[in-house]
């Protein structure tokens, strides 16, 4: 029987994760991307090449969009593409944190159909989902919380996200937490360890695609900051912010973000 897309992503994540761990920590060579796009390390590039070798050998007809490769318009002609961030949370990776991840997804006609978020340095946690089949952590089903109120909710967000200008309806009274990897933040909401995650900044597809499907398959609602569902493999691979939570908390967060009047 042919290997499913989810099985392929899982195998690729585990093999490439071993590559990442060879470089983990401050000894990895690093430099800054042009235009203030953040740091990159030799590990990011090595993991990217490992993933390319595994994934495109298995699916040579799939397109490709990775944070560590130049984007080309050819991917728009493919009904299926691999969409990935070889190391999401590079700053944490450099610092020796365990909260960085490999974020891998398959996009089919603009929708995420298979996804893996893998944390090699954090007990090898592997979050996974295929469309319509639920979400798992290390093979066990996971579920987002069904909290009713935003007040007192545990929400993953940056300090910048708390600025009053982002909340025309008033900054909600939730408890703020943070993790460096955006993909991991989404996975934590899917797992039910936090009630929601928010980012007001435009988000690259490779940062959010895998976590988005895992969240949705765990019962959470995931939209951009205006409340609209993201679309993937478009000419501009970015989404204007992300809000992920159970239905009630999601509705409360979106309401507080909307302009008054």
């Amino acid at each position: 029987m042919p290997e499913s897309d989810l099985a392929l992503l899982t195998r690729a994540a585990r093999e490439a994760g071993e590559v990442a761990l060879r470089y983990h920590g401050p000894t990895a060579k690093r430099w800054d991307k042009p235009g203030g796009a953040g740091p990159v390390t030799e590990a990011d590039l090595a993991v990217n090449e490992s993933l390319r070798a595994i994934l495109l050998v298995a699916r040579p007809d799939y397109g490709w969009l990775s944070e560590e490769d130049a984007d080309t318009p050819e991917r728009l002609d493919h009904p299926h593409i691999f969409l990935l961030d070889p190391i999401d949370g590079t700053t944490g990776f450099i610092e020796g944190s365990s909260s960085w991840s490999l974020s891998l997804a398959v996009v089919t006609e603009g929708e995420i159909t298979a996804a893996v978020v893998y944390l090699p340095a954090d007990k090898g946690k592997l979050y996974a989902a295929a469309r319509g089949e639920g979400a798992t952590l290390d093979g066990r089903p996971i579920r987002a919380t069904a909290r009713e109120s935003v007040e007192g909710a545990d929400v993953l967000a940056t300090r910048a996200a708390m600025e009053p200008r982002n909340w025309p309806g008033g900054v909600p009274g939730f408890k703020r937490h943070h993790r460096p990897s955006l993909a991991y933040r989404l996975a934590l909401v899917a797992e039910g360890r936090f009630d929601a995650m928010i980012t007001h900044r435009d988000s690259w597809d490779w940062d959010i695609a895998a976590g988005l499907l895992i969240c949705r398959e765990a019962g959470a609602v995931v939209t951009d900051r205006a409340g609209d569902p993201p679309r993937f493999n478009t000419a501009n691979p970015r989404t204007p912010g992300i809000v992920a939570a159970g239905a009630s908390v999601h509705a409360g967060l979106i309401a507080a973000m909307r302009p008054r009047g």
Side-chain angles (χ1 to χ4, degrees):
M1 180 180 296
E3 187 177 32
S4 70
D5 281 348
L6 181 55
L8 173 61
L9 293 182
T10 299
R11 176 168 64 87
R14 291 193 188 281
E15 292 185 25
E18 293 180 6
V19 174
L21 288 172
R22 296 174 199 159
Y23 298 88
H24 184 206
T27 58
K29 295 178 183 177
R30 59 154 291 178
W31 55 95
D32 291 321
K33 295 180 182 180
V40 65
T41 73
E42 58 183 340
D44 295 82
L45 304 185
V47 172
N48 190 62
E49 289 311 304
S50 175
L51 291 170
R52 176 189 288 277
I54 297 166
L55 296 172
L56 289 183
V57 166
R59 302 283 194 276
D61 56 329
Y62 280 27
W64 182 265
L65 178 58
S66 166
E67 181 178 12
E68 304 308 337
D69 284 309
D71 189 13
T72 61
E74 285 79 12
R75 66 177 169 82
L76 300 174
D77 298 326
H78 290 268
H80 307 278
I81 72 161
F82 291 114
L83 179 51
L84 58 139
D85 189 345
I87 296 180
D88 185 43
T90 297
T91 299
F93 177 90
I94 294 166
E95 294 170 349
S97 164
S98 62
S99 297
W100 50 274
S101 68
L102 282 69
S103 176
L104 285 63
V106 170
V107 180
T108 302
E109 301 292 355
E111 297 291 337
I112 311 302
T113 51
V116 163
V117 173
Y118 180 50
L119 285 84
D122 189 359
K123 302 176 183 176
K125 293 178 183 174
L126 190 139
Y127 299 85
R131 188 169 60 181
E133 297 180 14
T136 61
L137 167 58
D138 296 333
R140 300 185 303 275
I142 54 177
R143 196 74 184 165
T145 68
R147 186 183 181 87
E148 294 292 325
S149 174
V150 173
E151 296 300 311
D154 290 300
V155 178
L156 290 159
T158 63
R159 287 190 181 90
M162 305 306 296
E163 295 176 3
R165 62 184 176 84
N166 293 318
W167 303 95
V171 181
F174 55 71
K175 293 176 282 186
R176 188 187 75 84
H177 307 265
H178 184 60
R179 296 292 186 279
S181 164
L182 186 51
Y184 186 34
R185 286 179 238 167
L186 285 161
L188 287 168
V189 173
E191 187 185 353
R193 286 176 58 187
F194 294 88
D195 298 304
M197 70 79 58
I198 53 173
T199 177
H200 296 274
R201 297 178 60 183
D202 287 1
S203 302
W204 292 102
D205 282 4
W206 48 73
D207 289 326
I208 62 173
L212 180 146
L213 180 66
I214 293 166
C215 257
R216 283 183 175 167
E217 289 295 321
V221 179
V222 188
T223 68
D224 65 20
R225 62 177 179 258
D228 298 319
R231 187 78 178 171
F232 295 92
N233 198 27
T234 61
N236 180 15
R238 287 186 289 186
T239 295
I242 287 291
V243 182
S248 295
V249 171
H250 182 275
L253 292 170
I254 291 293
M257 293 179 187
R258 285 189 174 131
R260 304 289 95 177

